[in-house]
Amino acid sequence: TIAGTATVCQGQNSVTYTVPTITNATSYVWSLPTGSTGASTTNSITVNFGTTAVAGDITVKGVNACGQGASSTFAVTVNPLPSIPTITASGNVLMSSSASDNEWYLNGVVIFGANSQFYTAISNGFYVVMVANVSGCIAQSAAYNYSTTGISEVSEQTEIIIYPNPFAYQAVLETNHPLKDATINIVNLLGQNVLQKNNIDGQKIIIERNNMPAGVYFIGITENKKLIVTKKIVVAD
């Protein structure tokens, strides 16, 4: 008997299915529903359900030099994702394209109680909205960079340079004045926090790539709980 999750969402990844060791099997053959990916020759498989995955059967059978054994079958229901929401703004009022089931985030952190279609922004930063459907499947908007001071790349008060930019392994961030007990956040284009450095002092900071995939990110510096500057950075292959 195959063990695992019987109901998943499109786009759900790293879902594991296992079967007890099959007597006399030296290998295993798995098959997956359309739109799902994963490969294994053992009695366990990790499955990624793509955004177009559909419901179907997971099967497995044992194999040895004499041939293939009988299949075990496990039915999986794949629920669809809601439509991806978008964010528009009128002044400091942000609006989700979804009329209901919204949850707002700022710099990757949930804003407790912010569940309506509209949210009045009181802080600079990167906002995203997530929408869930009746199946519990979630779609997330692209990040919206909100600023009350019109900051695009650098502010008038604080200037930063990052070099090299793009960078492959590490970069240097320098400011025009010493930072004191500052926080540095790096977010991706979905508004998800991928790196945070706290209690920063000084004018020169080393930014390590760590596990960031290649792509475009935004780096923000916060002092006294206020975003003082943002800048685009690029991680190269």
Side-chain angles (χ1 to χ4, degrees):
T1 301
I2 299 172
T5 303
T7 303
V8 298
C9 294
Q10 290 177 334
Q12 188 171 339
N13 294 327
S14 301
V15 184
T16 300
Y17 296 88
T18 60
V19 66
T21 301
I22 299 175
T23 304
N24 297 324
T26 57
S27 185
Y28 296 77
V29 176
W30 293 85
S31 65
L32 303 172
T34 301
S36 307
T37 58
S40 175
T41 57
T42 72
N43 66 323
S44 177
I45 189 170
T46 299
V47 180
N48 294 331
F49 293 92
T51 56
T52 59
V54 296
D57 291 335
I58 294 177
T59 66
V60 64
K61 51 191 172 184
V63 180
N64 65 14
C66 296
Q68 298 181 347
S71 296
S72 297
T73 301
F74 185 83
V76 178
T77 299
V78 182
N79 290 315
L81 294 171
S83 299
I84 297 175
T86 58
I87 297 175
T88 55
S90 177
N92 67 333
V93 178
L94 308 182
M95 184 183 77
S96 168
S97 59
S98 174
S100 60
D101 302 311
N102 294 283
E103 187 169 58
W104 291 88
Y105 288 73
L106 171 60
N107 294 332
V109 178
V110 65
I111 305 172
F112 293 103
N115 305 114
S116 72
Q117 184 178 10
F118 299 91
Y119 179 75
T120 301
I122 58 175
S123 300
N124 293 338
F126 297 91
Y127 288 84
V128 300
V129 64
M130 293 187 182
V131 176
N133 59 20
V134 293
S135 300
C137 299
I138 297 173
Q140 177 176 301
S141 72
Y144 183 88
N145 184 9
Y146 172 77
S147 171
T148 58
T149 57
I151 296 172
S152 55
E153 288 293 306
V154 293
S155 71
E156 296 179 357
Q157 296 80 18
T158 302
E159 294 182 359
I160 62 173
I161 58 172
I162 299 174
Y163 58 89
N165 190 13
F167 71 96
Y169 301 104
Q170 67 176 25
V172 178
L173 182 153
E174 288 192 31
T175 65
N176 63 336
H177 68 79
L179 299 174
K180 184 173 178 60
D181 195 25
T183 298
I184 293 176
N185 287 286
I186 297 179
V187 299
N188 60 23
L189 292 177
L190 295 177
Q192 299 166 326
N193 233 14
V194 298
L195 180 67
Q196 181 169 313
K197 297 170 73 73
N198 299 312
N199 308 120
I200 300 298
D201 296 310
Q203 289 182 255
K204 183 180 291 188
I205 301 97
I206 302 297
I207 304 296
E208 300 285 351
R209 175 176 182 167
N210 294 328
N211 296 318
M212 286 189 290
V216 177
Y217 297 83
F218 291 93
I219 186 166
I221 300 177
T222 304
E223 278 188 316
N224 298 321
K225 299 182 179 180
K226 293 182 180 180
L227 184 69
I228 59 172
V229 65
T230 62
K231 192 173 181 70
K232 183 188 297 181
I233 61 172
V234 178
V235 175
D237 288 323

mmCIF file of all heavy atoms in Angstrom, residues 147-174:
data_model
loop_
_atom_site.group_PDB
_atom_site.id
_atom_site.type_symbol
_atom_site.label_atom_id
_atom_site.label_comp_id
_atom_site.label_asym_id
_atom_site.label_seq_id
_atom_site.Cartn_x
_atom_site.Cartn_y
_atom_site.Cartn_z
ATOM 1 N N SER A 147 6.365 53.300 -1.353
ATOM 2 C CA SER A 147 7.231 54.276 -0.689
ATOM 3 C C SER A 147 6.499 55.594 -0.542
ATOM 4 O O SER A 147 5.969 56.141 -1.511
ATOM 5 C CB SER A 147 8.517 54.493 -1.489
ATOM 6 O OG SER A 147 9.255 55.572 -0.951
ATOM 7 N N THR A 148 6.478 56.129 0.675
ATOM 8 C CA THR A 148 5.841 57.421 0.913
ATOM 9 C C THR A 148 6.728 58.575 0.494
ATOM 10 O O THR A 148 6.275 59.701 0.385
ATOM 11 C CB THR A 148 5.510 57.583 2.406
ATOM 12 O OG1 THR A 148 6.716 57.461 3.169
ATOM 13 C CG2 THR A 148 4.519 56.538 2.849
ATOM 14 N N THR A 149 8.009 58.304 0.269
ATOM 15 C CA THR A 149 8.957 59.374 -0.042
ATOM 16 C C THR A 149 9.397 59.345 -1.488
ATOM 17 O O THR A 149 10.292 60.089 -1.880
ATOM 18 C CB THR A 149 10.198 59.286 0.868
ATOM 19 O OG1 THR A 149 10.787 57.989 0.704
ATOM 20 C CG2 THR A 149 9.825 59.490 2.311
ATOM 21 N N GLY A 150 8.779 58.464 -2.278
ATOM 22 C CA GLY A 150 9.156 58.402 -3.684
ATOM 23 C C GLY A 150 10.509 57.781 -3.920
ATOM 24 O O GLY A 150 11.162 58.052 -4.923
ATOM 25 N N ILE A 151 10.988 56.970 -2.992
ATOM 26 C CA ILE A 151 12.283 56.314 -3.159
ATOM 27 C C ILE A 151 12.196 55.356 -4.333
ATOM 28 O O ILE A 151 11.286 54.563 -4.425
ATOM 29 C CB ILE A 151 12.675 55.532 -1.895
ATOM 30 C CG1 ILE A 151 12.856 56.497 -0.729
ATOM 31 C CG2 ILE A 151 13.945 54.732 -2.108
ATOM 32 C CD1 ILE A 151 13.047 55.793 0.604
ATOM 33 N N SER A 152 13.157 55.428 -5.219
ATOM 34 C CA SER A 152 13.231 54.433 -6.272
ATOM 35 C C SER A 152 14.517 53.635 -6.104
ATOM 36 O O SER A 152 14.508 52.516 -5.658
ATOM 37 C CB SER A 152 13.182 55.097 -7.651
ATOM 38 O OG SER A 152 14.201 56.070 -7.773
ATOM 39 N N GLU A 153 15.634 54.256 -6.411
ATOM 40 C CA GLU A 153 16.901 53.561 -6.197
ATOM 41 C C GLU A 153 17.568 54.001 -4.897
ATOM 42 O O GLU A 153 17.998 53.192 -4.113
ATOM 43 C CB GLU A 153 17.851 53.828 -7.373
ATOM 44 C CG GLU A 153 17.436 53.105 -8.635
ATOM 45 C CD GLU A 153 17.564 51.605 -8.496
ATOM 46 O OE1 GLU A 153 18.655 51.134 -8.141
ATOM 47 O OE2 GLU A 153 16.580 50.914 -8.737
ATOM 48 N N VAL A 154 17.688 55.313 -4.651
ATOM 49 C CA VAL A 154 18.277 55.805 -3.403
ATOM 50 C C VAL A 154 17.499 57.018 -2.939
ATOM 51 O O VAL A 154 16.874 57.713 -3.721
ATOM 52 C CB VAL A 154 19.772 56.191 -3.569
ATOM 53 C CG1 VAL A 154 20.613 54.967 -3.852
ATOM 54 C CG2 VAL A 154 19.955 57.207 -4.681
ATOM 55 N N SER A 155 17.540 57.288 -1.635
ATOM 56 C CA SER A 155 16.859 58.464 -1.104
ATOM 57 C C SER A 155 17.814 59.638 -1.065
ATOM 58 O O SER A 155 19.014 59.500 -1.263
ATOM 59 C CB SER A 155 16.356 58.170 0.311
ATOM 60 O OG SER A 155 17.451 58.093 1.197
ATOM 61 N N GLU A 156 17.268 60.815 -0.784
ATOM 62 C CA GLU A 156 18.116 61.998 -0.697
ATOM 63 C C GLU A 156 18.996 61.954 0.540
ATOM 64 O O GLU A 156 20.109 62.466 0.553
ATOM 65 C CB GLU A 156 17.235 63.251 -0.677
ATOM 66 C CG GLU A 156 16.431 63.465 -1.952
ATOM 67 C CD GLU A 156 15.567 64.705 -1.866
ATOM 68 O OE1 GLU A 156 15.576 65.340 -0.797
ATOM 69 O OE2 GLU A 156 14.888 65.022 -2.851
ATOM 70 N N GLN A 157 18.501 61.348 1.622
ATOM 71 C CA GLN A 157 19.245 61.367 2.874
ATOM 72 C C GLN A 157 20.360 60.327 2.903
ATOM 73 O O GLN A 157 21.440 60.566 3.409
ATOM 74 C CB GLN A 157 18.307 61.129 4.062
ATOM 75 C CG GLN A 157 17.255 62.215 4.263
ATOM 76 C CD GLN A 157 16.084 62.054 3.314
ATOM 77 O OE1 GLN A 157 15.867 60.995 2.732
ATOM 78 N NE2 GLN A 157 15.334 63.140 3.129
ATOM 79 N N THR A 158 20.087 59.164 2.377
ATOM 80 C CA THR A 158 21.044 58.069 2.447
ATOM 81 C C THR A 158 21.353 57.572 1.052
ATOM 82 O O THR A 158 20.444 57.326 0.263
ATOM 83 C CB THR A 158 20.487 56.898 3.287
ATOM 84 O OG1 THR A 158 20.175 57.375 4.594
ATOM 85 C CG2 THR A 158 21.502 55.773 3.393
ATOM 86 N N GLU A 159 22.615 57.434 0.757
ATOM 87 C CA GLU A 159 23.027 56.885 -0.520
ATOM 88 C C GLU A 159 23.817 55.613 -0.269
ATOM 89 O O GLU A 159 24.576 55.516 0.698
ATOM 90 C CB GLU A 159 23.878 57.883 -1.300
ATOM 91 C CG GLU A 159 23.121 59.138 -1.724
ATOM 92 C CD GLU A 159 23.987 60.072 -2.542
ATOM 93 O OE1 GLU A 159 25.182 59.720 -2.750
ATOM 94 O OE2 GLU A 159 23.494 61.125 -2.963
ATOM 95 N N ILE A 160 23.616 54.628 -1.138
ATOM 96 C CA ILE A 160 24.398 53.404 -1.033
ATOM 97 C C ILE A 160 24.926 53.037 -2.408
ATOM 98 O O ILE A 160 24.327 53.379 -3.425
ATOM 99 C CB ILE A 160 23.576 52.232 -0.465
ATOM 100 C CG1 ILE A 160 22.398 51.877 -1.382
ATOM 101 C CG2 ILE A 160 23.105 52.510 0.928
ATOM 102 C CD1 ILE A 160 21.656 50.630 -0.954
ATOM 103 N N ILE A 161 26.075 52.401 -2.395
ATOM 104 C CA ILE A 161 26.592 51.796 -3.611
ATOM 105 C C ILE A 161 26.852 50.325 -3.310
ATOM 106 O O ILE A 161 27.189 49.955 -2.176
ATOM 107 C CB ILE A 161 27.876 52.476 -4.124
ATOM 108 C CG1 ILE A 161 28.987 52.430 -3.051
ATOM 109 C CG2 ILE A 161 27.600 53.898 -4.545
ATOM 110 C CD1 ILE A 161 30.316 52.920 -3.581
ATOM 111 N N ILE A 162 26.601 49.488 -4.307
ATOM 112 C CA ILE A 162 26.828 48.059 -4.170
ATOM 113 C C ILE A 162 27.734 47.632 -5.312
ATOM 114 O O ILE A 162 27.453 47.938 -6.481
ATOM 115 C CB ILE A 162 25.508 47.273 -4.218
ATOM 116 C CG1 ILE A 162 24.593 47.703 -3.072
ATOM 117 C CG2 ILE A 162 25.754 45.772 -4.156
ATOM 118 C CD1 ILE A 162 23.212 47.081 -3.120
ATOM 119 N N TYR A 163 28.814 46.976 -4.978
ATOM 120 C CA TYR A 163 29.735 46.522 -6.017
ATOM 121 C C TYR A 163 30.328 45.167 -5.640
ATOM 122 O O TYR A 163 30.505 44.885 -4.464
ATOM 123 C CB TYR A 163 30.844 47.558 -6.232
ATOM 124 C CG TYR A 163 31.665 47.879 -4.998
ATOM 125 C CD1 TYR A 163 32.823 47.138 -4.681
ATOM 126 C CD2 TYR A 163 31.283 48.907 -4.144
ATOM 127 C CE1 TYR A 163 33.561 47.429 -3.547
ATOM 128 C CE2 TYR A 163 32.018 49.197 -3.008
ATOM 129 C CZ TYR A 163 33.164 48.456 -2.715
ATOM 130 O OH TYR A 163 33.903 48.745 -1.580
ATOM 131 N N PRO A 164 30.559 44.306 -6.624
ATOM 132 C CA PRO A 164 30.056 44.438 -8.000
ATOM 133 C C PRO A 164 28.548 44.204 -8.031
ATOM 134 O O PRO A 164 28.003 43.565 -7.138
ATOM 135 C CB PRO A 164 30.792 43.318 -8.737
ATOM 136 C CG PRO A 164 31.050 42.288 -7.690
ATOM 137 C CD PRO A 164 31.295 43.038 -6.417
ATOM 138 N N ASN A 165 27.902 44.701 -9.044
ATOM 139 C CA ASN A 165 26.460 44.539 -9.214
ATOM 140 C C ASN A 165 26.163 44.510 -10.714
ATOM 141 O O ASN A 165 26.223 45.560 -11.359
ATOM 142 C CB ASN A 165 25.703 45.684 -8.545
ATOM 143 C CG ASN A 165 24.204 45.441 -8.485
ATOM 144 O OD1 ASN A 165 23.734 44.341 -8.720
ATOM 145 N ND2 ASN A 165 23.446 46.492 -8.172
ATOM 146 N N PRO A 166 25.942 43.322 -11.277
ATOM 147 C CA PRO A 166 25.633 42.015 -10.672
ATOM 148 C C PRO A 166 26.837 41.401 -9.946
ATOM 149 O O PRO A 166 27.976 41.737 -10.235
ATOM 150 C CB PRO A 166 25.208 41.154 -11.867
ATOM 151 C CG PRO A 166 24.891 42.119 -12.966
ATOM 152 C CD PRO A 166 25.790 43.286 -12.747
ATOM 153 N N PHE A 167 26.541 40.453 -9.039
ATOM 154 C CA PHE A 167 27.602 39.717 -8.357
ATOM 155 C C PHE A 167 27.262 38.235 -8.342
ATOM 156 O O PHE A 167 26.098 37.846 -8.437
ATOM 157 C CB PHE A 167 27.800 40.250 -6.931
ATOM 158 C CG PHE A 167 26.692 39.926 -5.969
ATOM 159 C CD1 PHE A 167 26.782 38.838 -5.121
ATOM 160 C CD2 PHE A 167 25.559 40.734 -5.891
ATOM 161 C CE1 PHE A 167 25.768 38.544 -4.223
ATOM 162 C CE2 PHE A 167 24.540 40.449 -4.995
ATOM 163 C CZ PHE A 167 24.646 39.342 -4.161
ATOM 164 N N ALA A 168 28.320 37.417 -8.229
ATOM 165 C CA ALA A 168 28.142 35.969 -8.280
ATOM 166 C C ALA A 168 28.280 35.318 -6.912
ATOM 167 O O ALA A 168 27.593 34.330 -6.628
ATOM 168 C CB ALA A 168 29.136 35.342 -9.260
ATOM 169 N N TYR A 169 29.180 35.849 -6.061
ATOM 170 C CA TYR A 169 29.440 35.199 -4.780
ATOM 171 C C TYR A 169 29.205 36.130 -3.592
ATOM 172 O O TYR A 169 28.527 35.780 -2.647
ATOM 173 C CB TYR A 169 30.880 34.662 -4.748
ATOM 174 C CG TYR A 169 31.155 33.678 -5.853
ATOM 175 C CD1 TYR A 169 31.894 34.056 -6.975
ATOM 176 C CD2 TYR A 169 30.643 32.387 -5.808
ATOM 177 C CE1 TYR A 169 32.134 33.164 -8.009
ATOM 178 C CE2 TYR A 169 30.882 31.480 -6.836
ATOM 179 C CZ TYR A 169 31.633 31.879 -7.929
ATOM 180 O OH TYR A 169 31.850 30.998 -8.949
ATOM 181 N N GLN A 170 29.767 37.323 -3.652
ATOM 182 C CA GLN A 170 29.512 38.294 -2.595
ATOM 183 C C GLN A 170 29.650 39.699 -3.154
ATOM 184 O O GLN A 170 30.281 39.919 -4.181
ATOM 185 C CB GLN A 170 30.460 38.106 -1.400
ATOM 186 C CG GLN A 170 31.911 38.404 -1.681
ATOM 187 C CD GLN A 170 32.762 38.277 -0.424
ATOM 188 O OE1 GLN A 170 32.447 37.575 0.509
ATOM 189 N NE2 GLN A 170 33.868 38.986 -0.412
ATOM 190 N N ALA A 171 29.013 40.634 -2.473
ATOM 191 C CA ALA A 171 29.079 42.037 -2.877
ATOM 192 C C ALA A 171 29.366 42.886 -1.643
ATOM 193 O O ALA A 171 29.161 42.455 -0.507
ATOM 194 C CB ALA A 171 27.770 42.475 -3.538
ATOM 195 N N VAL A 172 29.824 44.107 -1.887
ATOM 196 C CA VAL A 172 30.089 45.069 -0.822
ATOM 197 C C VAL A 172 29.047 46.178 -0.900
ATOM 198 O O VAL A 172 28.788 46.724 -1.971
ATOM 199 C CB VAL A 172 31.497 45.669 -0.942
ATOM 200 C CG1 VAL A 172 31.738 46.708 0.151
ATOM 201 C CG2 VAL A 172 32.549 44.571 -0.873
ATOM 202 N N LEU A 173 28.431 46.481 0.226
ATOM 203 C CA LEU A 173 27.471 47.578 0.321
ATOM 204 C C LEU A 173 28.110 48.694 1.142
ATOM 205 O O LEU A 173 28.575 48.453 2.261
ATOM 206 C CB LEU A 173 26.186 47.094 0.977
ATOM 207 C CG LEU A 173 25.021 48.078 1.123
ATOM 208 C CD1 LEU A 173 23.704 47.326 1.162
ATOM 209 C CD2 LEU A 173 25.139 48.923 2.406
ATOM 210 N N GLU A 174 28.174 49.903 0.580
ATOM 211 C CA GLU A 174 28.731 51.062 1.293
ATOM 212 C C GLU A 174 27.689 52.171 1.345
ATOM 213 O O GLU A 174 26.962 52.412 0.372
ATOM 214 C CB GLU A 174 29.996 51.579 0.604
ATOM 215 C CG GLU A 174 31.204 50.678 0.774
ATOM 216 C CD GLU A 174 32.481 51.354 0.341
ATOM 217 O OE1 GLU A 174 32.565 52.605 0.467
ATOM 218 O OE2 GLU A 174 33.390 50.660 -0.126
#
